[in-house]
């Protein structure tokens, strides 16, 4: 196995779970998030030298894929299929899913930029500086926007601030 392949495998293992969590929060669709996860890693592998691979680049590629997907949906170029996959018999699993849906719905109530910036922080474990680089803004601006988005999300979820 080549050095590049080993490095890619390590890079994938280190970042796949956080990237998937980010994509799930952004899309709300397990299958679409899975496809976008695969597409993001494929783009990194195909378009960038291994020395350029970093978490910030990966999340930038994924964020651009989300933006492209939303554009396709807005323009009516993609049909969305929503299916219920498997029935859960356990009350605990249902409660967790319901809580997750509430949070996703609350996130959907935020402005797109608030959703994006909060999801980047929650899912990626990126620094404020990395998020600022991804969004093309200042670190201070990122901190303020994340703080305001958290307060807004708490108010939507009716959690004491």
């Amino acid at each position: 196995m080549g050095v590049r392949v080993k490095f890619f495998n390590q890079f994938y293992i280190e970042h796949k779970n956080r990237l998937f969590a980010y994509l799930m929060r952004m899309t709300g669709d397990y299958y679409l998030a899975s496809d976008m996860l695969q597409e993001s890693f494929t783009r990194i592998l195909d378009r960038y030298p291994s020395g350029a691979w970093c978490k910030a680049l990966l999340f930038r590629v994924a964020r651009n894929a989300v933006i492209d997907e939303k554009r396709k949906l807005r323009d009516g170029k993609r049909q969305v299929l929503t299916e219920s996959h498997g029935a859960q018999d356990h009350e605990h699993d249902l409660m967790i899913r319901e809580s997750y849906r509430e949070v996703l719905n609350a996130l959907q109530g935020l402005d797109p930029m608030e959703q994006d910036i909060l999801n980047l922080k929650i899912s990626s474990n990126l620094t404020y500086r990395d998020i600022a680089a991804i969004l093309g803004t200042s670190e201070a601006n990122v901190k303020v926007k994340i703080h305001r988005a958290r307060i807004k999300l708490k108010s939507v979820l009716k959690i004491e601030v």
Side-chain angles (χ1 to χ4, degrees), residues 30-148:
Y30 176 87
Y31 298 100
L32 181 57
S34 295
D35 287 346
M36 294 175 98
L37 175 83
Q38 181 179 1
E39 179 64 25
S40 298
F41 278 106
T42 301
R43 285 182 185 177
I44 289 281
L45 184 62
D46 290 344
R47 298 181 184 171
Y48 298 94
S50 56
W53 298 347
C54 65
K55 187 173 23 173
L57 175 63
L58 178 63
F59 276 83
R60 180 180 294 146
V61 168
R63 180 177 180 267
N64 289 341
V66 170
I67 291 169
D68 290 346
E69 186 62 30
K70 286 182 178 182
R71 190 175 298 122
K72 286 178 191 174
L73 289 171
R74 184 188 67 223
D75 296 343
K77 294 179 181 174
R78 187 182 216 326
Q79 276 192 333
V80 179
L81 301 175
T82 55
E83 298 179 16
S84 176
H85 294 280
Q88 296 293 327
D89 295 328
H90 305 290
E91 185 176 335
H92 179 67
D93 290 342
L94 290 173
M95 288 173 47
I96 290 172
R97 285 183 177 198
E98 183 59 32
S99 296
Y100 188 71
R101 280 190 202 109
E102 286 178 25
V103 172
L104 282 178
N105 287 337
L107 278 169
Q108 297 299 321
L110 299 177
D111 295 332
M113 177 53 95
E114 292 171 327
Q115 288 177 35
D116 192 19
I117 201 165
L118 197 54
N119 284 327
L120 278 169
K121 184 61 182 166
I122 292 168
S123 301
S124 68
N125 202 26
L126 289 167
T127 64
Y128 291 115
R129 180 174 288 145
D130 289 340
I131 294 171
I134 290 169
L135 300 177
T137 189
S138 71
E139 187 175 344
N141 192 15
V142 167
K143 289 178 182 179
V144 169
K145 287 183 178 192
I146 287 174
H147 177 72
R148 288 180 182 163

